[in-house]
Amino acid sequence: MFKIFVSTYPFGVNDVYPRTILAETGWDITYNPHKRKLKPEELAEFAKDSDGIIAGTENINALLAINPKLEFVSRVGIGLDSVPLH
């Protein structure tokens, strides 16, 4: 089963439609349990087995170092400052 970790908060809190769309995929979706911006090591631990991540502005370098199966990073917001593109 495809596993997605949503690290950004408050993803889908004010408008549940994005969470509804994800739930309808049948994928294994998990959300940031701390309800705050995650530290790089926290993000890496939560998403270490994920196939994809919906991220905010967190630094994802630690995650990329330990998760070779990560297939996609979807950023909420604008810019790719915290996404290494090499």
Side-chain angles (χ1 to χ4, degrees), residues 14-56:
N14 295 322
D15 177 3
V16 297
Y17 187 63
R19 286 184 180 227
T20 302
I21 293 171
L22 288 176
E24 290 173 353
T25 65
W27 299 336
D28 180 7
I29 311 294
T30 55
Y31 294 90
N32 175 348
H34 293 308
K35 300 179 180 178
R36 60 166 167 75
K37 185 175 180 176
L38 296 174
K39 297 174 186 171
E41 57 276 0
E42 292 172 326
L43 175 63
E45 181 60 30
F46 288 126
K48 67 183 175 189
D49 297 322
S50 295
D51 298 294
I53 183 171
I54 299 174

Side-chain angles (χ1 to χ4, degrees), residues 39-76:
K39 297 174 186 171
E41 57 276 0
E42 292 172 326
L43 175 63
E45 181 60 30
F46 288 126
K48 67 183 175 189
D49 297 322
S50 295
D51 298 294
I53 183 171
I54 299 174
T57 58
E58 306 89 351
N59 181 320
I60 64 168
N61 288 328
L63 171 61
L64 296 175
I66 67 164
N67 186 341
K69 74 174 199 167
L70 191 70
E71 294 185 34
F72 78 85
V73 175
S74 176
R75 280 272 320 230
V76 173

